[in-house]
Every structure is written in structure tokens, then in C-alpha cells.
Amino acid sequence: MEPIYQCCYTNATQSAGDKVTSGWQTTAVSPDIPRDAHETCVKLQNANAPLCANAVDERGNVLALWEILGDGSYLYVIQTQFGLTDRLGRPNMFSHAVIFPLRNNRDIFWNPNFFLALHPSCFLRGGDRLTWENTPAYATSLSLETAMRWARLDRERYAALVRCVYAQSSGPKGTEPLYIEYDGTARQLRGLLTCIYGGIPWYMRRNLRIASCPTANDSGKNLVFSQNARTKASYLIPQTGENNILTSRIERRIHRYGFIDHAVRELPLEEFPSHFERLEKTAACLGDVSASNSQVLKLAFYFWTRPDMSAYTDEELESNLSDALRLPPADNQLLENFLTRMLREVKRRGLRLTDESKALLNAWMAVTKSEDLKAAGR
């Protein structure tokens, strides 16, 4: 497990001789926190400062906001306690972030409990000292089976949840958050979060931005949990599958890609971690080091879950070949082998390449050193 960092942020008081000043600042920051993590965390925490004047939850109580915010390199688990005041009596907050590096951190992807099962005692609600140093306390770990029970999901509703999360996170920049309805309890919230993070590919986990309650700072979030989700522009009721985000176009794309909801539809729960790790590694071997390109992930999924290309439909074969040819020509034995096999199957069936695919294939033929690929491409 990689080191864990922390950063607290509040409007604090400082004394210098007879002079007392106050202002927004960090406190109780891990001394070895990477600079990029610190800078990003402060921006994320400061974004909630304008909420101080009237921060309440959906029941009218003083807001204690939980956020899980990924930036691709780090995961920031942040609790922000509102309803405080500074030395002059002005509205204040105290934000405490626990920060997990994502690079080379296999553990956090295999077991989301590393960041979802943090004990509430880990987070301060005010003050300037922590009770732990890089060794947080944990509540009981949650299995996917138990999480589904807490979230009140069956496999069909679980698959709908995953598809809806994908639909929102794959939308254009500035897409409205998806509001997910829940009963307001920490139990159901944790169950849903465990199902989400346990049931989606790793590249999605790196970048999801989630909040436990609607606020004026929802912009930029992917998922916001709400007790009144169906009143929002984009919503999902997980227990019934009712939603207004899954269009027929998105459903067709999800079906074509295959990898989005394959695990939740087809695999035993205990196989989810190894499935997503293998998908990630295969995509990297095909040339997508960050394993974030949906077309490459689709190819990776077909490569190892459906190795018999004779079982592909014509549409699947043509789509996969087109996606593979769009990748920059490279000396990649695995990718060249995949292309060779698909081209041979195209010839066996007597299919004709589109003009675009022919042009892309010519680009590959000009640089490849693989005699098998050259022969298959003639």
C-alpha cells in the first residue's frame, strides 16, 4: 500500500506577537505530501468555502459533506463540516482530506474498502491535530455481497447502476451530475459506493467525483447522492432502475463495447477484482498505457474474453478491426497479432473493408515488420 496523506483546511487564527490574524489556510498537513496533491487538494477544499453562509443538508440540518474526488493521480476523500464560526463570529468550515496515491497502487483498486471504510474518527470536525499519522483507523470491511444487500440491489439493478455511472462519466465536459437517490443513511450510501467502485473499470475509478449531498458546488461532480433525486435534471433510482440518462444510443454503445457491464451481468462477485485488473493490463499491452481509451478497452475485452473470432458477428469483426486500425501503427506484437487474426477472418468471410479501413491498413503496412501482418493485409 502506498503512503496515505492528509490535508486540513479552515479559516484559522494565527498569532504573531501582539498581532492576531485569521484567514483561509491549511493545517495539520502531512509533511511529506507531494506538491501536486497538496495544491489540488487545497483547490478542492477551498471550492466549498462559499457554502459556509447557509450549508444545510436536504433535511435542513447543518451539513457534513462527504466527497470522493479523483483526479487521475490521487483520490481525495474529504469530509467538510459546516456550521462553525471563526474568531470574529463569521461562518466557517473545517475540511479534512485523506489522500490516496493511485499510481502503482494495486491495493486500492482491488479493495475499495481502503478508502470507503475509513472510520469516522479519522476525520476532524475542527481543531488542528490528527489522531493518526499515515495509519488511519478502519471500520469493518464490506464485501460486494453485503454492499448489494445494504444498497438493496439485485444483479439486474446493479447492472443498471453501472451503466448509468458510465453514461454520466463518459459524457462531454460540463455534463450535469447524475443524482442517485438513497434513503439518507450512511449504511445505504456506503453500500451504493462500494457497489459503484467495485463494479466499474479502473480508469473510471481514477476520475469519478462524488458528493454525498446536493450543494451549490455540484458543478464538476459526476455523481451526487440525494433523497430527492427524481426532482433533478438527471437521476437514477437504484432500487428500481428508473432513470432518465440511459438513452437507446448509450445502451447500444454499452452493448457494443461489452466491457462496461460484463462483470456485473456475468461474473461471480469474487472475480470482479481480477477481471478489472486483467482488462487494465491487456489494454496497456495493446498500447493504451493509461487504460482509459474506450476503444482499446473494448479490444482488450474481446481479446481475452472471446478469443475465437469465428464466433464474432460481421458487425463485431468490422468494428473491432476498425478500432484496432485507428491505433497509431507501432511495433506492438500483441496488437499486430490481433490485427493479423482479424484480417484473416475478414478474408475468410469475404468481407470488404471500408475506404477508411483500407487507408488505415495501408499506414500499418508501411511501417510493420511483421511478415504475418503483411501477408494478412495484402
Side-chain angles (χ1 to χ4, degrees):
M1 186 70 180
E2 293 292 304
I4 300 172
Y5 308 102
Q6 63 169 9
C7 179
C8 296
Y9 187 80
T10 189
N11 194 326
T13 299
Q14 288 184 325
S15 299
D18 295 332
K19 188 177 181 180
V20 178
T21 59
S22 61
W24 292 104
Q25 58 192 277
T26 58
T27 180
V29 181
S30 296
D32 57 344
I33 187 172
R35 181 177 178 178
D36 57 342
H38 182 238
E39 291 177 352
T40 298
C41 190
V42 170
K43 290 178 182 177
L44 295 172
Q45 293 172 301
N46 185 62
N48 285 325
L51 303 179
C52 284
N54 186 30
V56 294
D57 62 22
E58 292 180 291
R59 294 178 177 175
N61 300 317
V62 174
L63 179 61
L65 180 67
W66 289 85
E67 297 170 292
I68 305 174
L69 308 172
D71 70 352
S73 298
Y74 300 92
L75 198 67
Y76 306 83
V77 181
I78 304 175
Q79 179 193 269
T80 304
Q81 178 63 52
F82 295 93
L84 308 177
T85 56
D86 67 8
R87 69 182 184 91
L88 298 178
R90 296 172 299 190
N92 196 6
M93 68 175 196
F94 191 92
S95 181
H96 186 171
V98 181
I99 305 165
F100 298 85
L102 297 178
R103 299 187 189 97
N104 304 314
N105 200 351
R106 177 176 179 268
D107 290 344
I108 205 167
F109 293 108
W110 262 72
N111 187 359
N113 282 293
F114 275 115
F115 59 92
L116 293 178
L118 292 169
H119 195 277
S121 64
C122 292
F123 296 90
L124 292 179
R125 294 171 178 264
D128 60 359
R129 296 294 176 191
L130 284 180
T131 57
W132 61 273
E133 295 181 1
N134 294 344
T135 309
Y138 281 95
T140 303
S141 291
L142 207 60
S143 68
L144 270 179
E145 182 179 7
T146 302
M148 288 177 64
R149 188 165 60 251
W150 285 15
R152 294 166 44 210
L153 297 177
D154 58 20
R155 291 297 285 257
E156 181 182 353
R157 307 308 179 201
Y158 192 177
L161 171 64
V162 167
R163 289 196 296 271
C164 287
V165 171
Y166 168 79
Q168 197 291 329
S169 62
S170 63
K173 188 175 182 180
T175 299
E176 288 289 316
L178 172 64
Y179 290 84
I180 300 179
E181 189 157 289
Y182 81 121
D183 62 9
T185 65
R187 175 188 173 96
Q188 192 175 80
L189 176 62
R190 186 176 168 201
L192 286 164
L193 286 171
T194 301
C195 288
I196 289 170
Y197 278 101
I200 59 176
W202 287 7
Y203 83 96
M204 292 171 63
R205 303 185 202 186
R206 291 186 179 93
N207 295 285
L208 275 185
R209 296 193 168 206
I210 300 175
S212 64
C213 180
T215 70
N217 193 26
D218 287 349
S219 177
K221 303 290 194 311
N222 299 110
L223 312 176
V224 178
F225 286 87
S226 171
Q227 297 169 67
N228 305 295
R230 68 180 70 232
T231 66
K232 309 298 184 180
S234 181
Y235 73 89
L236 164 68
I237 315 299
Q239 293 72 37
T240 66
E242 178 189 345
N243 70 87
N244 63 351
I245 191 172
L246 287 177
T247 64
S248 57
R249 181 181 179 183
I250 292 173
E251 292 274 25
R252 287 195 298 271
R253 186 200 312 163
I254 290 171
H255 177 74
R256 185 172 71 251
Y257 284 170
F259 71 88
I260 303 296
D261 60 352
H262 172 76
V264 294
R265 287 188 297 103
E266 304 291 345
L267 300 181
L269 298 176
E270 63 271 16
E271 292 184 14
F272 283 22
S274 58
H275 165 78
F276 289 120
E277 181 174 41
R278 188 172 182 182
L279 181 67
E280 173 107 348
K281 289 183 175 179
T282 306
C285 289
L286 288 172
D288 181 19
V289 177
S290 64
S292 61
N293 183 302
S294 294
Q295 280 71 35
V296 180
L297 285 162
K298 183 189 80 166
L299 293 174
F301 172 74
Y302 272 85
F303 184 84
W304 63 268
T305 63
R306 298 180 61 186
D308 180 9
M309 291 185 182
S310 66
Y312 289 9
T313 65
D314 288 353
E315 182 182 2
E316 289 171 337
L317 181 59
E318 291 169 342
S319 174
N320 285 342
L321 178 60
S322 176
D323 286 340
L325 288 172
R326 285 193 181 96
L327 297 175
D331 185 15
N332 182 318
Q333 186 175 356
L334 187 65
L335 181 55
E336 289 180 335
N337 175 264
F338 198 21
L339 274 170
T340 300
R341 291 165 55 207
M342 286 192 287
L343 287 166
R344 287 172 177 167
E345 184 64 21
V346 165
K347 283 186 176 182
R348 188 186 71 80
R349 299 186 190 189
L351 301 176
R352 295 176 62 86
L353 298 183
T354 64
D355 290 342
E356 180 189 18
S357 290
K358 287 179 182 177
L360 293 169
L361 177 59
N362 288 336
W364 271 91
M365 294 298 100
V367 300
T368 185
K369 298 176 183 178
S370 168
E371 294 301 324
D372 287 341
L373 180 54
K374 289 177 181 178
R378 292 191 186 102

